[in-house]
Amino acid sequence: MTAAPPEVLAELQELRVRVPYLTGAMVASTDGLVIAHLLAKNAEPDGVAALTAAALGVGARLTEAVGHGGFRELLVNGEFGYVATYAAGVSSVLTLLATADANVGRLNLEARRACPRLAALIDGAFQHRPQQV
C-alpha cells in the first residue's frame, strides 16, 4: 500500500494532544491494512488493524440486521480501558485506545470531528494513485 500522507499521522498526533488518557491511535483500511498508527510497542499494528476490520464487519452486519443503517462507530469497554472504532470515509476506519479514566464523551467528540478530515486525506490520496498491475 502507498504511504499515507503525513497529514494523517499529524491528525493522529493532534488527537493524542486533544484527548486525555488516549494511549493509541490508528487509521486502517476497511480490509485491515495499516495506513498510519501511533500505538505502544506492546500493541502489534497489523494485528490491531486485522481485528478492527473483523469488528467492523460484525458491527456493520449487526446495524444492518436490526435496520439501523450503515456502520458509524463501535465502542468496546474493557476492564482496563476502551477501544473505539469510527468510520472514516468509505475505505478507512479510525481506532482509538484509551485508559479506563478517559472521558468517553470527549473521545467520541474529537474522533467524530477528526473522521471527516481523515476521510478527505485518505480517500483523496489513494484515489489519485496510479493503478498497480
Side-chain angles (χ1 to χ4, degrees):
M1 176 171 263
T2 306
E7 297 87 0
V8 172
L9 192 55
E11 187 68 41
L12 295 181
Q13 291 167 333
E14 283 296 316
L15 278 168
R16 298 272 312 255
V17 171
R18 292 191 308 262
V19 180
Y21 304 106
L22 192 66
T23 59
M26 168 184 275
V27 177
S29 67
T30 55
D31 57 356
L33 299 174
V34 176
I35 295 172
H37 75 88
L38 295 174
L39 296 177
K41 292 181 182 179
N42 64 343
E44 174 57 41
D46 291 330
V48 173
L51 289 169
T52 295
L56 171 66
V58 171
R61 284 193 299 273
L62 180 60
T63 57
E64 288 174 16
V66 298
H68 287 186
F71 173 85
R72 295 181 79 184
E73 57 193 54
L74 174 69
L75 178 69
V76 178
N77 182 359
E79 183 178 356
F80 302 116
Y82 298 94
V83 180
T85 300
Y86 305 85
V90 296
S91 62
S92 60
V93 293
L94 169 66
T95 296
L96 301 178
L97 310 176
T99 67
D101 296 327
N103 178 322
V104 176
R106 178 73 180 268
L107 181 81
N108 284 329
L109 175 70
E110 295 296 345
R112 290 170 185 160
R113 287 179 176 170
C115 282
R117 293 189 297 267
L118 287 166
L121 290 168
I122 294 164
D123 291 345
F126 294 114
Q127 186 176 47
H128 296 105
R129 70 179 177 188
Q131 292 290 344
Q132 296 180 2
V133 182

